[in-house]
Amino acid sequence: MVNVVLGTFFGDEGKGKIIDFLSENADISVRCTGGNNAGHTIYVNGEKFAFHLIPSGILNKGTKAVIGNGVVIDPKILIEEIENLKAHNIEVNNLFISDKAHIIFPYHIAMDNLLEERRIDKIGTTKRGIGPAYCDKYERCGIRAQDLISPRFREMITKNVNSKNTILKAYGYEEFHCEEIIKEYETYAAYLKPYITDTVYLLHEGIQNNQNIVCEGAQATLLDIDFGNYPFVTSSNPTIGGVCTGTGIGAKYIGEVYGVLKAYSSKVGEGPYMTEEANQIGDLIRELGHEYGTTTKRPRRCGWLDLVALKYAVMINGITGLAINHVDTVGKLKKIKLCVAYRYKGEINMRYTNNLEYLAECEPVYEEFDGNFGDISHIKKREDLPENAKKYLTRIEQVVGVPIKFIGTGPERENMIVVKS
Ligand code: GDP
Ligand code: IMO
Ligand code: MG
């Protein structure tokens, strides 16, 4: 059985926490897309783990952690992450890196900086070299994990450094020295070589043996290069299609698709955000939810939950169940607003699309709910939640038409209600 966990908004919905929970019974946990632009936080016994590249499932002893072919890997960051886990006495023997995953080089990071600086409408990228690395992949000059450990590496990197230097020089940026990069990356190659393998076969062996596989989505639907708020998006498909292309797992093997959301919403980076509260309410939500980026530490923009966008994410990804985090956080507010439709030129509708002119003309239609849920962190059954929380959650299900399967009641592993169907 292959189950998938995907973000439904702008990322940071708490995917890591849901994956950590599902990985308890998983044989394999696999990252499919993105790179170290992701930051997935898990709290275990008060200790914080922030994952950028390694699937969060690695915390579960015995679960194989796979970095799929759709991921772009900065080897320096990956090695730091491995070393950090080892320092916390977490075994990293079960890590497998796809030989097809593309590698991020320092010139990708320089290009990310250059492009962002020169953009009039800034995207607010994480400046981790993600977009430029995917550009090379599609330009067909990318260097994959298998190339990093191949005798052809020197030739490939020399071509790439020369061509990137031409651009960097033209814009007055510092050029890279090929030999320095070769030396640095040969060290990384030697370190990572034992982990690099053909993960497609590993995953399919798991499927043949009826193993439990969890696919860990990074980023989210509204950051998707096709379906998100283009151009204010990331350079991959964090939606369901990216799970198939980023792992080599065919659609017919996929079972549950869990869509993760927060009981409010947040965004890092620029671009439209329909239910943003760029005011004291947004500031209050940020403080209550500790909404500061795991990767870049940037304060996150905050606002209300948008069910028009959520329904769009449900539609595109074929979401079968919702995982709603931070119910404890909205419960600290006196009043909660929920966007149940958009008003476009006077007409009420439920249509999300990434036409930015259309979005600019839409206005959220809100319903208001009572908050003050009290301390819900210890509650284990949905029926034991306070009435105000139940009303809010039931309304979300009614509008979106998908059942809630997980309810986050705090940041820790055990702060979660698993809804019995
Ligand atoms: P991800 O990128 O989707 O994995 O999410 P992040 O880790 O970037 O951001 C989610 C943040 O919310 C983290 O700090 C989590 O510890 C925290 N979190 C997740 N679920 C809950 C919840 O139910 N309640 C509270 N208070 N915090 C949560
Ligand atoms: P997780 O997996 C939130 C955003 C960046 C920026 C845009 C493009 O933790 O949910 P990029 O560096 O990818 O080219 O930046 O995408 N972004 C994220 N925002 N959570 C993430 O990942 C993100 N990954 C990228 O802030 O707006
Ligand atoms: Mg995150």
Side-chain angles (χ1 to χ4, degrees), residues 46-333:
E47 199 169 356
K48 179 177 171 176
F49 293 90
F51 291 98
H52 300 287
L53 278 163
I54 298 180
S56 321
I58 197 139
L59 288 183
N60 188 45
K61 219 176 173 181
T63 302
K64 287 180 182 161
V66 174
I67 301 181
N69 55 279
V71 176
V72 284
I73 300 174
D74 184 330
K76 183 168 182 275
I77 304 297
L78 177 57
I79 293 168
E80 275 171 20
E81 224 170 293
I82 296 173
E83 288 298 314
N84 182 45
L85 286 171
K86 285 183 181 168
H88 284 84
N89 292 321
I90 307 223
E91 279 180 24
V92 194
N93 310 334
N94 261 341
L95 177 68
F96 301 86
I97 301 169
S98 167
D99 56 356
K100 297 168 189 55
H102 281 247
I103 302 295
I104 296 180
F105 288 90
Y107 49 78
H108 292 129
I109 298 169
M111 290 295 293
D112 203 352
N113 279 293
L114 186 158
L115 292 166
E116 186 70 1
E117 262 169 39
R118 295 188 60 79
R119 260 180 209 120
I120 295 167
D121 289 326
K122 309 260 181 241
I123 296 172
T125 76
T126 57
K127 299 192 177 166
R128 301 296 195 264
I130 307 295
Y134 278 116
C135 279
D136 278 4
K137 173 173 175 172
Y138 290 101
E139 216 272 306
R140 289 151 295 176
C141 66
I143 296 177
R144 298 161 302 169
Q146 62 184 280
D147 304 317
L148 192 62
I149 54 173
S150 133
R152 289 174 57 230
F153 176 63
R154 173 174 282 274
E155 185 196 335
M156 294 174 88
I157 190 76
T158 306
K159 273 191 201 154
N160 280 4
V161 171
N162 288 342
S163 67
K164 299 297 186 264
N165 275 347
T166 315
I167 303 168
L168 292 166
K169 195 176 164 189
Y171 287 102
Y173 271 67
E174 210 175 312
E175 291 176 64
F176 286 96
H177 298 286
C178 204
E179 287 307 320
E180 278 175 23
I181 294 186
I182 292 174
K183 204 169 154 211
E184 184 185 346
Y185 275 68
E186 277 177 351
T187 318
Y188 300 151
Y191 185 107
L192 294 175
K193 193 173 177 180
Y195 299 107
I196 298 172
T197 184
D198 189 335
T199 54
V200 171
Y201 283 92
L202 184 149
L203 291 166
H204 279 274
E205 266 166 39
I207 291 171
Q208 296 309 320
N209 293 322
N210 283 324
Q211 289 192 336
N212 189 351
I213 301 177
V214 182
C215 298
E216 172 164 351
Q219 288 80 51
T221 305
L222 300 184
L223 290 174
D224 185 276
I225 186 97
D226 286 284
F227 302 110
N229 293 352
Y230 192 89
F232 302 98
V233 293
T234 191
S235 303
S236 65
N237 286 114
T239 45
I240 192 75
V243 172
C244 296
T245 56
T247 58
I249 296 176
K252 77 166 183 174
Y253 300 110
I254 294 175
E256 298 292 334
V257 181
Y258 297 112
V260 189
L261 60 140
K262 285 190 275 215
Y264 52 91
S265 62
S266 74
K267 172 170 176 51
V268 260
E270 305 305 319
Y273 173 7
M274 298 301 291
T275 52
E276 179 175 19
E277 291 287 320
N279 53 36
Q280 283 178 337
I281 294 170
D283 293 344
L284 178 62
I285 297 175
R286 183 180 312 109
E287 292 318 307
L288 293 174
H290 308 291
E291 290 293 351
Y292 294 87
T294 310
T295 300
T296 56
K297 314 285 178 247
R298 284 179 286 180
R300 293 172 181 156
R301 298 160 65 188
C302 291
W304 303 114
L305 177 54
D306 178 349
L307 297 187
V308 182
L310 181 60
K311 210 163 175 175
Y312 175 73
V314 164
M315 178 174 80
I316 281 169
N317 296 301
I319 288 169
T320 58
L322 301 176
I324 176 162
N325 285 316
H326 280 274
V327 175
D328 55 312
T329 305
V330 284
K332 290 181 182 139
L333 299 166

Side-chain angles (χ1 to χ4, degrees), residues 11-13 15 37-41 294-295 300:
D12 304 326
E13 300 92 345
K15 298 177 287 293
N37 46 353
H40 300 173
T41 325
T294 310
T295 300
R300 293 172 181 156

